[in-house]
Amino acid sequence: MSAPLPRILVSNDDGYFSEGLHALVEAVSPLGEVWVVAPDREQSAASHAISLHRPLRIKQVRERWFAVDGTPTDCSYLALVHLLKDARPQLMVSGINHGSNLADDVTYSGTVAAAMEAAQLGVPSIAFSLVSRGPFDFGPAARFARSLAQSALSRPLPPRMLLNVNIPGGVEPDGYIVTRLGRHSYGYDVVEKEDPRGRKYYWIGGTDYQHEDIQGSDCNAVHLDKRVSVTPLHLDLTDHGRIAGLTSWTLDGFQRHDPDGA
């Protein structure tokens, strides 16, 4: 009797209808039983927002394919805590995002947040993004996603594993590099406008892209080497290097205690 196919959860932040999601589903479908739980509309830059103050609705699009009127985090939570609670997936994949999620982008990205929520709930997860502003050719990214997912499923994985993957657009990548997060900027612009009723409104963000040349970074791998970056992330945001420095601070009227309660 053959072993059951591994269960794979797919989500994203561009919506259940997006081309990148469909490319990812097609890529991983030969590897297992695929379930899709994705937002019913675009939720780019939603970060790790979760809906605690309004009800959520789930619409079944077709077999094992669901649209949620919430954030990417809501989708992962509902999938793992409700829809798939009786048989959790062996792997969660998110994307393929229409655009990069390099460096500081991971703090804003809904694509990464969907994977992060799944990892936080104990399911190994991978976020995939295509570094392009269009046109989007998801072929190379989908091929890499299949290969990485297949390798992941072939071995025991830590339950909170979280990988952030960026594939350069417009080229066939020359392999991949295991990287660290880099540093980049899109500029810091605020455009002030006025609506027909005389009220001001603002567009924030920028289009002046530049990244720091940091050896071993995801930005260098994608932009300079034209290779896929695979960056392991973790959920402990503690800046361990600053702990010792903070213990030397003196606060008037307050005594510092050690973590062990002393």
Side-chain angles (χ1 to χ4, degrees):
M1 185 175 181
S2 60
L5 291 173
R7 182 170 280 188
I8 303 169
L9 171 64
V10 183
S11 191
N12 73 345
D13 72 355
D14 289 312
Y16 74 95
F17 45 80
S18 77
E19 184 182 355
L21 178 80
H22 285 256
L24 183 56
V25 170
E26 183 177 351
V28 300
S29 286
L31 307 180
E33 180 189 276
V34 173
W35 289 68
V36 177
V37 184
D40 68 353
R41 67 202 71 183
E42 181 166 344
Q43 293 279 349
S44 295
S47 189
H48 208 146
I50 190 167
S51 301
L52 299 178
H53 302 290
R54 70 173 184 88
L56 294 166
R57 299 187 185 277
I58 302 174
K59 178 180 72 173
Q60 184 164 0
V61 178
R62 54 180 179 269
E63 185 181 10
R64 301 198 304 270
W65 198 300
F66 300 86
V68 177
D69 68 339
T71 67
T73 298
D74 294 332
C75 293
S76 289
Y77 187 94
L78 284 171
L80 298 177
V81 179
H82 178 60
L83 292 171
L84 303 177
K85 64 181 179 181
D86 295 327
R88 282 192 159 199
Q90 283 72 42
L91 183 69
M92 187 274 184
V93 292
S94 180
I96 301 169
N97 190 61
H98 294 231
S100 69
N101 278 308
L102 296 161
D104 299 338
D105 293 342
V106 300
T107 64
Y108 302 102
S109 167
T111 303
V112 176
M116 186 177 290
E117 180 67 12
Q120 190 166 287
L121 293 172
V123 176
S125 302
I126 310 173
F128 294 97
S129 300
L130 179 61
V131 184
S132 174
R133 295 189 176 183
F136 294 99
D137 176 7
F138 289 101
R143 287 191 289 275
F144 186 83
R146 177 182 297 178
S147 181
L148 183 58
Q150 185 174 35
S151 182
L153 289 167
S154 71
R155 68 196 67 228
L157 298 173
R160 290 165 71 90
M161 183 194 80
L162 175 59
L163 303 180
N164 184 45
V165 177
N166 282 270
I167 303 97
V171 298
E172 190 68 40
D174 178 22
Y176 68 96
I177 304 174
V178 179
T179 56
R180 54 163 290 185
L181 292 179
R183 295 192 189 96
H184 67 182
S185 168
Y186 298 95
Y188 301 96
D189 298 332
V190 177
V191 178
E192 181 181 291
K193 298 285 187 178
E194 191 173 279
D195 69 20
R197 298 184 180 182
R199 297 173 298 188
K200 292 181 178 179
Y201 65 93
Y202 303 87
W203 286 100
I204 64 173
T207 57
D208 182 22
Y209 181 83
Q210 54 185 338
H211 75 271
E212 295 184 27
D213 184 358
I214 300 175
Q215 187 174 4
S217 70
D218 54 357
C219 297
N220 277 23
V222 170
H223 292 302
L224 300 184
D225 301 319
K226 302 302 180 184
R227 293 179 176 134
V228 178
S229 69
V230 179
T231 307
L233 305 178
H234 63 78
L235 303 176
D236 180 3
L237 300 181
T238 306
D239 187 347
H240 294 276
R242 295 196 184 275
I243 291 177
L246 281 171
T247 60
S248 67
W249 289 25
T250 300
L251 306 184
D252 290 342
F254 293 90
Q255 179 182 356
R256 182 183 62 80
H257 296 272
D258 293 326
D260 61 5

